[in-house]
Amino acid sequence: MAATGSEKQGAKAFYVTTPIYYVNDAPHLGHAYTTVAGDVLTRWHRQRGEKVWYLTGTDEHGQKIMRTAEANNVTPQAWCDKLVEEAWKPLWEHLNIANDDFIRTTQKRHTDRVQEFVQDLYDKDEIYKGGYEGPYCVGCEEYKLPGDLIEAEDGTKLCPIHKKPVEILKEENYFFKLSEYGPKLLEFYEANPGFIQPESARNEVVNFVKQGLQDLSISRSTFDWGIPIPWDEKHVIYVWVDALLNYATAVGYNENPAKFEETFPANVHLVGKDILRFHAVIWPAMLMAQGLPVPGKVAANGWLMVGGEKMSKSNLTGIKPQDLTSHFGVDAYRWYFLRAIAFGSDGSFSWEDFTARYTSELANDYGNLASRVAAMVGKYFGGELPASTADGDAEKAVHEGLAKAVATADAKIGEELDFQGGILAIFDFVKQVNGYITEQEPWKVAKDDSPEGRARLATILYTAAESLRAVAVLLNPIMPETSQALWESLGAEASLGALAAQPVQSSGTWGQLPAGATVTKGAVLFPRLEDPKKD
């Protein structure tokens, strides 16, 4: 979605990030869920006319990547290059992700700046040398606290996320004085209650910090696939310190002051709940140590579950998004997960649930409405949209219903990250328009050839078509291809239109579709699904 001309030059961009994803394998539904959510959020703000910056990318250092590359008999860099170019970037293009940048942690624009950041902390006496021994999960790339581990039947200590044995590591490392930032973080959380979402995630982080923080090991010396510590190249920078800094290096930290000033910090970091502590504890502490501003919000989405287990590559439950888009289509895919699962909560994917919602809400409620309206304009007015001249209470109710839908969806999607609530508000309006047509019975009104009858019929069909125009705008961030197809079928102007132009409270205007526009019945927006068993 192109940015509108109402963007203010020099204004702070609405900056949204996804986690940078580990490239030990191809992406699955869980990765796509977070990325689509970020895309919908940033498209929504672009459609408001705001300046937006959407960042995603890949995390390419660390022991897990090194071992995966070795298992595939290639160098770590060759493995990363292959996965990024053949799997990650193509998927985001396939899903219509409109990211503004894609950062890779092996890029020089990142590695040089990471070394500078860590050197600055070292020079400020925020980093010291010491030793550490403890349980380490290679999958998480994280030292675990003993209390975090679970126990297998044979007594083996396992990572609670990957369900794999941890390794006991002992090495000489450099440490960041994280323990000193506990009181500052608690003070910050208290002053900014919306910093961590949802509330349950905030409570978890606050309780964790209240128990006391340990200093953070920020280097590793037992392998070399990482960014070297600038003052001691026998060590590489801990992969999580490396990874978190992408949010700064991608927008010009120590390289492009103007870009950095107008973008950083992020307004919203979208993360999985399993990496919440890194983003809500370590990352703000690092920024405080450097005197940089802290992000506006860290929003943790839940897990996609299959058979009661978190969907992941290591659990062999990673379903490819293409398995679903080939059957349901890309727009329906983008819509389904945000519609079916409350953002911030765990949710189970079900092929049957997707099919039922697609048929009921997309095909029957939305797609059928668009087809019926286009068909009636074609049948009764030769495809030329008539003017509305006989508005009454029924039309007023539709106008008010749209204003309510816009206001609710704008608050829920644009501000609260309640994608499900916003989508439901839009589809409540779709149902209202369907009900309006059922009650007004234009097929019966069409039998009245009097001027009053023709005016009434014209008003009904114009009201329905104008409602669809507004729905196309509201659903554009979620289903851009469908919205464009509907927009074209309604004969609207070339530009899809801005959210701010929609009737909402006292702003915006009803009646943007021009009378006389050519309405055509295009392809069915949501075709009937084929039985996958017949494939």
Side-chain angles (χ1 to χ4, degrees):
M1 185 190 311
T4 71
S6 61
E7 289 181 354
K8 295 180 180 179
Q9 294 301 315
K12 165 75 170 73
F14 183 75
Y15 178 27
V16 177
T17 73
T18 71
I20 49 172
Y21 301 109
Y22 238 18
V23 291
N24 57 314
D25 207 339
H28 57 60
L29 293 184
H31 304 115
Y33 174 61
T34 308
T35 309
V36 169
D39 188 62
V40 170
L41 178 62
T42 46
R43 282 176 181 264
W44 191 274
H45 280 263
R46 282 194 195 100
Q47 201 158 286
R48 281 179 171 181
E50 297 175 20
K51 188 175 185 177
V52 170
W53 197 258
Y54 184 33
L55 175 68
T56 189
T58 45
D59 187 359
E60 303 181 13
H61 289 130
Q63 196 168 14
K64 182 162 59 174
I65 299 295
M66 187 183 72
R67 290 183 179 179
T68 302
E70 289 172 350
N72 286 274
N73 298 312
V74 295
T75 66
Q77 188 66 64
W79 175 259
C80 294
D81 291 345
K82 175 181 174 64
L83 264 290
V84 168
E85 298 302 329
E86 296 181 9
W88 290 87
K89 284 185 175 180
L91 177 61
W92 298 157
E93 184 176 351
H94 174 65
L95 294 178
N96 279 329
I97 305 300
N99 53 294
D100 295 283
D101 193 7
F102 187 102
I103 189 165
R104 300 178 57 184
T105 56
T106 52
Q107 292 172 331
K108 185 175 175 58
R109 64 165 171 158
H110 175 74
T111 58
D112 287 356
R113 304 291 86 77
V114 169
Q115 286 187 312
E116 291 167 3
F117 188 100
V118 172
Q119 182 70 60
D120 285 346
L121 290 183
Y122 184 70
D123 293 344
K124 292 176 179 177
D125 198 31
E126 294 282 353
I127 292 174
Y128 65 91
K129 195 171 188 179
Y132 192 82
E133 181 177 6
Y136 192 86
C137 172
V138 175
C140 293
E141 293 285 10
E142 178 187 17
Y143 279 105
K144 298 291 184 180
L145 297 174
D148 290 339
L149 303 177
I150 59 176
E151 193 169 293
E153 291 182 2
D154 63 359
T156 303
K157 299 295 185 180
L158 307 177
C159 167
I161 295 173
H162 293 93
K163 308 296 192 296
K164 291 185 177 181
V166 292
E167 302 176 15
I168 302 300
L169 297 185
K170 181 179 181 180
E171 55 183 338
E172 185 180 62
N173 295 333
Y174 287 93
F175 289 80
F176 167 57
K177 296 178 180 177
L178 180 63
S179 61
E180 296 183 2
Y181 287 87
K184 295 178 184 178
L185 288 168
L186 291 172
E187 182 181 348
F188 175 76
Y189 302 151
E190 180 71 22
N192 300 274
F195 173 65
I196 304 169
Q197 294 186 355
E199 184 70 18
S200 58
R202 180 183 185 277
N203 293 338
E204 174 197 322
V205 170
V206 170
N207 290 335
F208 173 74
V209 176
K210 282 182 176 178
Q211 293 171 15
L213 297 176
Q214 296 182 355
D215 288 345
L216 176 71
S217 172
I218 61 112
S219 74
R220 298 292 307 279
S221 58
T222 54
F223 62 92
D224 62 0
W225 180 239
I227 302 173
I229 290 280
W231 64 88
D232 187 348
E233 295 199 352
K234 296 190 297 294
H235 293 250
V236 293
I237 296 170
Y238 175 41
V239 66
W240 266 106
V241 173
D242 169 359
L244 289 165
L245 281 167
N246 93 89
Y247 305 130
T249 63
V251 293
Y253 171 73
N254 264 16
E255 185 175 30
N256 186 338
K259 173 71 175 176
F260 191 70
E261 178 72 21
E262 69 184 25
T263 311
F264 195 84
N267 294 73
V268 181
H269 286 309
L270 296 175
V271 303
K273 66 179 184 180
D274 51 333
I275 58 172
L276 175 62
R277 290 181 188 176
F278 295 102
H279 289 80
V281 179
I282 296 173
W283 178 226
M286 289 167 55
L287 293 172
M288 289 174 179
Q290 198 68 288
L292 292 172
V294 175
K297 184 181 299 182
V298 176
N301 61 255
W303 289 339
L304 294 184
M305 313 293 283
V306 175
E309 292 283 335
K310 176 196 173 188
M311 185 177 296
S312 69
K313 296 177 288 252
S314 58
N315 288 339
L316 302 179
T317 56
I319 300 171
K320 293 190 301 182
Q322 294 91 331
D323 295 340
L324 299 181
T325 59
S326 62
H327 182 68
F328 295 99
V330 170
D331 270 9
Y333 174 94
R334 290 170 57 95
W335 166 85
Y336 171 75
F337 288 97
L338 298 181
R339 161 65 183 88
I341 301 169
F343 195 80
S345 301
D346 293 345
S348 296
F349 162 72
S350 160
W351 189 279
E352 292 76 16
D353 184 60
F354 197 160
T355 301
R357 292 183 189 276
Y358 176 100
T359 302
S360 173
E361 298 179 42
L362 293 186
N364 293 348
D365 288 349
Y366 183 28
N368 191 43
L369 173 63
S371 295
R372 290 170 70 199
V373 171
M376 287 189 286
V377 173
K379 180 177 181 179
Y380 301 129
F381 292 94
E384 183 176 305
L385 185 67
S388 177
T389 59
D391 283 7
D393 289 344
E395 288 68 44
K396 180 182 178 183
V398 173
H399 301 173
E400 292 173 348
L402 175 59
K404 179 182 177 182
V406 173
T408 302
D410 191 35
K412 289 190 175 296
I413 296 175
E415 301 301 329
E416 301 169 22
L417 275 62
D418 179 3
F419 301 101
Q420 184 185 65
I423 291 170
L424 286 173
I426 298 167
F427 273 79
D428 281 346
F429 177 68
V430 170
K431 288 181 171 64
Q432 181 181 355
V433 178
N434 273 309
Y436 166 79
I437 291 176
T438 299
E439 291 170 2
Q440 300 306 311
E441 299 179 312
W443 48 89
K444 289 186 179 179
V445 176
K447 296 177 182 178
D448 182 356
D449 285 331
S450 69
E452 293 79 11
R454 293 295 290 174
R456 184 67 200 142
L457 179 63
T459 297
I460 294 169
L461 294 184
Y462 182 89
T463 298
E466 172 67 358
S467 296
L468 281 169
R469 180 206 60 77
V471 169
V473 174
L474 290 172
L475 290 177
N476 188 42
I478 302 151
M479 297 188 283
E481 291 182 352
T482 301
S483 287
Q484 188 61 45
L486 177 57
W487 192 261
E488 292 171 0
S489 77
L490 292 170
E493 297 175 1
S495 172
L496 192 63
L499 180 67
Q502 305 319 303
V504 49
Q505 298 172 356
S506 61
S507 63
T509 56
W510 173 272
Q512 294 183 50
L513 268 182
T518 300
V519 177
T520 56
K521 187 176 180 182
V524 176
L525 295 182
F526 300 99
R528 202 179 112 201
L529 297 172
E530 297 295 327
D531 186 345
K533 296 177 183 177
K534 296 179 180 179
D535 292 346

